[in-house]
Amino acid sequence: MSVPARSPALEPWRDPAAQPFVRIEGVTKTFGKVYACDDISLDVYRGEFFALLGGSGSGKSTLLRVLAGFESPDRGRVLIDGIDVTDLPPYERPVNMMFQSYALFPHMSVAQNIAFGLKHSSGGARPGAGEIRDRVQQMLELVRMPQLGNRKPDQLSGGQRQRVALARALAKQPKLLLLDEPLGALDKKLREHTQFELVSIQERVGTTFIMVTHDQEEAMTMSSRIAVMDAGRIVQVSTPAVLYEYPSTRFVAEFIGGINLLEGRVLGHDGDGDLRIQCDGVGGELLARHPDPLPEGTAVGIAVRPEKIDVHETKPEGFDNAVMGKVRDIAYLGDVSIYHVQTEAGAVLRVQETHVARSSQPHYDWDDTLWLSWDAASAVVLTS
Ligand code: ADP
Ligand code: MG
C-alpha cells in the first residue's frame, strides 16, 4: 500500500509499542434477539478524533453508551487509560458525553449552562466559585464566544448553541469526550463550518474524541481514523485515506464515496502480476492489481472510483483497461459533471469531468460514444 507515511507520533496505531488510550475488548450487547454490538474489539489512541461510522441501527450509539457507562455489556471489557471501567458507573469514569444543542437548559444563561456540570460534579473534585467562573470563561474563549456568557440559548444561532454544548461537555476536563451525531441538528452549510470548528477545538484541547455519525463525508473530513460498522460489527478500521483508496469489502467500498463496482471471475495473472478478471458486465477482460494471488475462478468485485477513470473520444492505446460505452445520463454539478456510461454488455460506469474554466459545460451529450480507461493499480479487488 502506498499511503503517505506520517511519523509514528502522529499515527500511534502504526507503532506496535504504542499503548491504546481506550481499549474495547470483545464487547457484546444484546437487546432481546438483537446483537446491537457483536463481539467488538477496538483500540483508540490518546488525542485521536475517532469516528464510528455506519447506517442507522448498526450499533454506533450502543457502543458509545457502553463507553459512557449508560449500558453495561453482556460480555467484554472497556479499559480507559489502562483502567478497567466496565463495572464503573458513568460519573466515576473520566468520560463526558456531548449531547445535541437542544439539550441546553433554556432558562439558564450560557455561562450557567457551562457551569452546570462543574457545580454538580460528584466527590472531592467539586471546584470553588472562583474556579468555576475562571473555567467558564476559559471555555467561552475556547469556543470563541468570550462575550456571550450572559445570553440565553434562544438568543444564539444554531452553531453557537452547538459550541455551548461542547463547552459544557469539556468544562469538566474529561479525558475522553463522546459525541453522538453532534452536528445532526444543523443545516448543511452550518454543519460544514462547525465541522472545521470542532476539529480545531479538539486539536487545541488535545482531548480524545470519539464521535458517532452516519455521514461518511463528516467522518472523512473530521477524523484521524474511522471504524465502519454494520449490523453490530466493525467491518474496517482505517484512516480516511486508506478507507477511501483501499476498502476491504464491497460494503465499505459502497458506503464511502461514489464508486463503480463490477463483478467478475479471476482468469489468472498477466506478466506484471496483475489479476486478469473476466467481467461479463463489460463483455471482456479487465486487469486489476491485488497484493495476494487469487486462484482461478474466484468471484471478485472490482471497485474503481469515478475520478480514476479517464474519458476519450476514440479508442485509447496503452491502457491496462479500456471499455467503450454510450452516455446514458449527465448530471451537471457546477464544479464537475457526472456521466453514466453504459457498455454494450450492460454495465453502467460513473465517470466525472472536472470543470476548470468558468464557462465549462458538460463536454459530451446523451448517446455520445465514449471510451473509458483506467490503470490496473487504480482498481481495488474485493473478495468479501
Ligand atoms: P445506531 O446508533 O447505529 O443507529 P443503535 O446502537 O442505536 O444504532 O441500535 C443498534 C440496534 O440495537 C438497533 O437494532 C436498535 O433497535 C437496537 N437497540 C438499541 N437500543 C435499544 C434498547 N434500549 N432497547 C431495544 N433495542 C435497542
Ligand atoms: Mg445512533
Side-chain angles (χ1 to χ4, degrees):
M1 273 199 286
S2 60
V3 168
R6 278 189 253 164
S7 84
L10 292 174
E11 299 200 333
W13 51 88
R14 291 161 71 100
D15 175 3
Q19 289 298 311
F21 180 61
V22 178
R23 167 155 274 184
I24 299 168
E25 275 180 9
V27 162
T28 295
K29 177 70 189 175
T30 55
F31 297 104
K33 286 194 177 124
V34 176
Y35 279 75
C37 296
D38 189 359
D39 194 20
I40 288 182
S41 295
L42 181 67
D43 287 341
V44 175
Y45 293 86
R46 196 183 294 276
E48 276 202 80
F49 197 131
F50 194 95
L52 300 171
L53 172 68
S56 171
S58 56
K60 310 179 295 294
S61 293
T62 303
L63 186 57
L64 210 65
R65 292 169 59 79
V66 166
L67 287 172
F70 299 133
E71 301 282 2
S72 55
D74 307 345
R75 279 195 296 282
R77 302 198 301 163
V78 175
L79 288 90
I80 298 176
D81 210 2
I83 294 165
D84 187 338
V85 300
T86 318
D87 297 321
L88 292 184
Y91 54 85
E92 285 180 18
R93 300 184 183 204
V95 176
N96 209 353
M97 183 110 142
M98 178 185 139
F99 295 95
Q100 285 181 359
S101 56
Y102 47 72
L104 295 177
F105 300 112
H107 58 285
M108 288 187 192
S109 70
V110 165
Q112 287 168 330
N113 263 287
I114 297 172
F116 182 82
L118 295 171
K119 288 183 181 153
H120 293 78
S121 32
S122 59
R126 184 182 302 187
E131 200 183 324
I132 289 180
R133 212 176 315 115
D134 289 349
R135 187 84 63 78
V136 167
Q137 196 54 36
Q138 224 180 349
M139 288 301 118
L140 284 169
E141 272 155 32
L142 178 70
V143 299
R144 297 188 222 272
M145 298 175 58
Q147 315 294 342
L148 302 184
N150 293 325
R151 295 254 183 106
K152 292 278 173 60
D154 67 0
Q155 296 170 308
L156 300 175
S157 71
Q160 288 173 329
R161 280 201 289 275
Q162 202 54 54
R163 276 141 67 192
V164 176
L166 179 66
R168 187 173 70 176
L170 285 172
K172 283 168 85 172
Q173 296 175 312
K175 289 184 184 174
L176 172 64
L177 186 69
L178 306 173
L179 309 97
D180 195 343
E181 306 272 0
L183 310 179
L186 307 180
D187 65 42
K188 186 170 158 44
K189 199 150 179 220
L190 188 54
R191 207 178 156 117
E192 280 170 12
H193 176 80
T194 313
Q195 287 170 1
F196 288 106
E197 185 82 29
L198 198 53
V199 170
S200 129
I201 290 169
Q202 190 267 344
E203 282 170 354
R204 271 180 284 147
V205 293
T207 308
T208 308
F209 279 26
I210 301 181
M211 169 181 78
V212 158
T213 180
H214 66 276
D215 181 331
Q216 53 102 3
E217 273 185 44
E218 186 159 290
M220 297 285 282
T221 51
M222 296 176 71
S223 320
S224 54
R225 288 188 305 152
I226 299 172
V228 181
M229 292 186 67
D230 181 33
R233 289 179 162 265
I234 290 180
V235 196
Q236 187 171 0
V237 183
S238 288
T239 60
V242 172
L243 270 187
Y244 188 81
E245 298 293 349
Y246 303 96
S248 62
T249 67
R250 289 175 176 83
F251 177 83
V252 176
E254 294 197 287
F255 199 79
I256 310 281
I259 204 155
N260 293 295
L261 192 51
L262 299 164
E263 296 298 331
R265 214 161 266 286
V266 173
L267 295 171
H269 292 82
D270 77 351
D272 300 329
D274 291 332
L275 285 175
R276 293 172 42 226
I277 299 164
Q278 172 61 32
C279 175
D280 294 340
V282 302
E285 201 180 304
L286 296 174
L287 291 176
R289 193 147 302 167
H290 192 60
D292 312 312
L294 291 174
E296 192 183 324
T298 308
V300 292
I302 308 162
V304 194
R305 299 278 177 201
E307 72 276 11
K308 302 273 193 311
I309 299 179
D310 287 325
V311 179
H312 316 261
E313 286 171 30
T314 54
K315 185 173 182 176
E317 297 299 333
F319 286 91
D320 295 331
N321 298 293
V323 304
M324 194 186 74
K326 274 189 183 226
V327 176
R328 293 299 183 207
D329 221 341
I330 306 171
Y332 174 71
L333 303 175
D335 50 346
V336 295
S337 289
I338 308 280
Y339 299 98
H340 289 185
V341 178
Q342 187 171 35
T343 68
E344 215 165 311
V348 177
L349 289 153
R350 267 167 67 100
V351 298
Q352 79 181 37
E353 175 186 40
T354 306
H355 301 307
V356 182
R358 190 173 193 183
S359 59
S360 292
Q361 289 293 317
H363 218 86
Y364 304 104
D365 213 342
W366 271 267
D367 290 331
D368 280 358
T369 295
L370 299 179
W371 283 86
L372 310 179
S373 71
W374 65 92
D375 293 337
S378 298
V380 178
V381 176
L382 302 167
T383 53
S384 54

